[in-house]
mmCIF file of all heavy atoms in Angstrom:
data_model
loop_
_atom_site.group_PDB
_atom_site.id
_atom_site.type_symbol
_atom_site.label_atom_id
_atom_site.label_comp_id
_atom_site.label_asym_id
_atom_site.label_seq_id
_atom_site.Cartn_x
_atom_site.Cartn_y
_atom_site.Cartn_z
ATOM 1 N N SER A 103 15.260 137.878 89.486
ATOM 2 C CA SER A 103 14.583 136.681 89.953
ATOM 3 C C SER A 103 13.080 136.927 89.973
ATOM 4 O O SER A 103 12.574 138.050 89.914
ATOM 5 C CB SER A 103 15.092 136.256 91.301
ATOM 6 O OG SER A 103 14.847 137.309 92.231
ATOM 7 N N SER A 104 12.308 135.850 90.046
ATOM 8 C CA SER A 104 10.847 136.030 90.129
ATOM 9 C C SER A 104 10.401 135.263 91.445
ATOM 10 O O SER A 104 11.001 134.241 91.796
ATOM 11 C CB SER A 104 10.108 135.511 88.927
ATOM 12 O OG SER A 104 10.546 134.261 88.616
ATOM 13 N N THR A 105 9.477 135.874 92.115
ATOM 14 C CA THR A 105 9.033 135.271 93.402
ATOM 15 C C THR A 105 7.562 135.087 93.309
ATOM 16 O O THR A 105 6.808 136.025 93.063
ATOM 17 C CB THR A 105 9.375 136.247 94.551
ATOM 18 O OG1 THR A 105 8.829 137.498 94.303
ATOM 19 C CG2 THR A 105 10.889 136.361 94.758
ATOM 20 N N GLY A 106 7.140 133.838 93.556
ATOM 21 C CA GLY A 106 5.713 133.562 93.638
ATOM 22 C C GLY A 106 4.957 133.924 92.437
ATOM 23 O O GLY A 106 5.345 133.720 91.270
ATOM 24 N N ARG A 107 3.783 134.624 92.574
ATOM 25 C CA ARG A 107 2.926 134.961 91.478
ATOM 26 C C ARG A 107 3.327 136.329 90.869
ATOM 27 O O ARG A 107 2.808 136.699 89.894
ATOM 28 C CB ARG A 107 1.486 134.972 91.923
ATOM 29 C CG ARG A 107 0.962 133.619 92.297
ATOM 30 C CD ARG A 107 -0.476 133.629 92.765
ATOM 31 N NE ARG A 107 -0.969 135.045 92.768
ATOM 32 C CZ ARG A 107 -2.290 135.326 92.852
ATOM 33 N NH1 ARG A 107 -3.126 134.367 93.009
ATOM 34 N NH2 ARG A 107 -2.661 136.563 92.893
ATOM 35 N N LYS A 108 4.135 137.076 91.592
ATOM 36 C CA LYS A 108 4.464 138.436 91.079
ATOM 37 C C LYS A 108 5.868 138.428 90.447
ATOM 38 O O LYS A 108 6.880 138.453 91.189
ATOM 39 C CB LYS A 108 4.438 139.428 92.233
ATOM 40 C CG LYS A 108 3.036 139.588 92.846
ATOM 41 C CD LYS A 108 3.022 140.744 93.768
ATOM 42 C CE LYS A 108 1.597 140.962 94.243
ATOM 43 N NZ LYS A 108 1.388 142.182 94.957
ATOM 44 N N PRO A 109 5.926 138.358 89.150
ATOM 45 C CA PRO A 109 7.233 138.408 88.558
ATOM 46 C C PRO A 109 7.905 139.702 88.760
ATOM 47 O O PRO A 109 7.297 140.748 88.932
ATOM 48 C CB PRO A 109 6.913 138.141 87.051
ATOM 49 C CG PRO A 109 5.551 138.542 86.874
ATOM 50 C CD PRO A 109 4.859 138.356 88.211
ATOM 51 N N ILE A 110 9.199 139.689 88.758
ATOM 52 C CA ILE A 110 10.014 140.898 88.902
ATOM 53 C C ILE A 110 10.650 141.223 87.603
ATOM 54 O O ILE A 110 11.022 140.357 86.808
ATOM 55 C CB ILE A 110 11.076 140.648 89.951
ATOM 56 C CG1 ILE A 110 10.447 140.367 91.328
ATOM 57 C CG2 ILE A 110 12.005 141.838 90.100
ATOM 58 C CD1 ILE A 110 11.393 140.048 92.421
ATOM 59 N N PHE A 111 10.840 142.485 87.303
ATOM 60 C CA PHE A 111 11.475 142.899 86.062
ATOM 61 C C PHE A 111 12.573 143.954 86.344
ATOM 62 O O PHE A 111 12.593 144.506 87.405
ATOM 63 C CB PHE A 111 10.457 143.385 85.061
ATOM 64 C CG PHE A 111 9.852 144.724 85.426
ATOM 65 C CD1 PHE A 111 10.361 145.928 85.041
ATOM 66 C CD2 PHE A 111 8.711 144.763 86.288
ATOM 67 C CE1 PHE A 111 9.771 147.101 85.385
ATOM 68 C CE2 PHE A 111 8.188 145.954 86.687
ATOM 69 C CZ PHE A 111 8.672 147.145 86.213
ATOM 70 N N VAL A 112 13.475 144.107 85.407
ATOM 71 C CA VAL A 112 14.568 145.061 85.592
ATOM 72 C C VAL A 112 14.195 146.417 85.049
ATOM 73 O O VAL A 112 13.729 146.529 83.927
ATOM 74 C CB VAL A 112 15.810 144.596 84.812
ATOM 75 C CG1 VAL A 112 16.943 145.544 85.019
ATOM 76 C CG2 VAL A 112 16.234 143.225 85.305
ATOM 77 N N GLN A 113 14.424 147.411 85.820
ATOM 78 C CA GLN A 113 14.342 148.797 85.282
ATOM 79 C C GLN A 113 15.569 149.151 84.574
ATOM 80 O O GLN A 113 16.586 148.493 84.661
ATOM 81 C CB GLN A 113 14.054 149.738 86.425
ATOM 82 C CG GLN A 113 12.653 149.754 86.969
ATOM 83 C CD GLN A 113 12.481 150.894 87.979
ATOM 84 O OE1 GLN A 113 13.426 151.234 88.710
ATOM 85 N NE2 GLN A 113 11.242 151.325 88.086
ATOM 86 N N SER A 114 15.553 150.253 83.884
ATOM 87 C CA SER A 114 16.763 150.658 83.121
ATOM 88 C C SER A 114 18.036 150.884 83.975
ATOM 89 O O SER A 114 19.075 150.734 83.436
ATOM 90 C CB SER A 114 16.441 151.848 82.233
ATOM 91 O OG SER A 114 16.112 152.956 83.037
ATOM 92 N N GLU A 115 17.867 151.252 85.175
ATOM 93 C CA GLU A 115 19.026 151.513 86.036
ATOM 94 C C GLU A 115 19.579 150.218 86.593
ATOM 95 O O GLU A 115 20.566 150.259 87.358
ATOM 96 C CB GLU A 115 18.643 152.420 87.210
ATOM 97 C CG GLU A 115 18.044 153.766 86.854
ATOM 98 C CD GLU A 115 16.562 153.638 86.710
ATOM 99 O OE1 GLU A 115 15.887 152.966 87.459
ATOM 100 O OE2 GLU A 115 16.031 154.247 85.733
ATOM 101 N N GLY A 116 19.064 149.060 86.221
ATOM 102 C CA GLY A 116 19.520 147.794 86.779
ATOM 103 C C GLY A 116 18.873 147.397 88.079
ATOM 104 O O GLY A 116 19.250 146.419 88.693
ATOM 105 N N THR A 117 17.839 148.109 88.468
ATOM 106 C CA THR A 117 17.118 147.776 89.709
ATOM 107 C C THR A 117 15.912 146.899 89.413
ATOM 108 O O THR A 117 15.192 147.147 88.413
ATOM 109 C CB THR A 117 16.606 149.039 90.398
ATOM 110 O OG1 THR A 117 17.729 149.877 90.661
ATOM 111 C CG2 THR A 117 15.924 148.743 91.731
#
Side-chain angles (χ1 to χ4, degrees):
S103 60
S104 51
T105 56
R107 293 179 359 165
K108 295 189 175 190
I110 297 177
F111 67 95
V112 178
Q113 283 186 331
S114 62
E115 304 88 39
T117 303

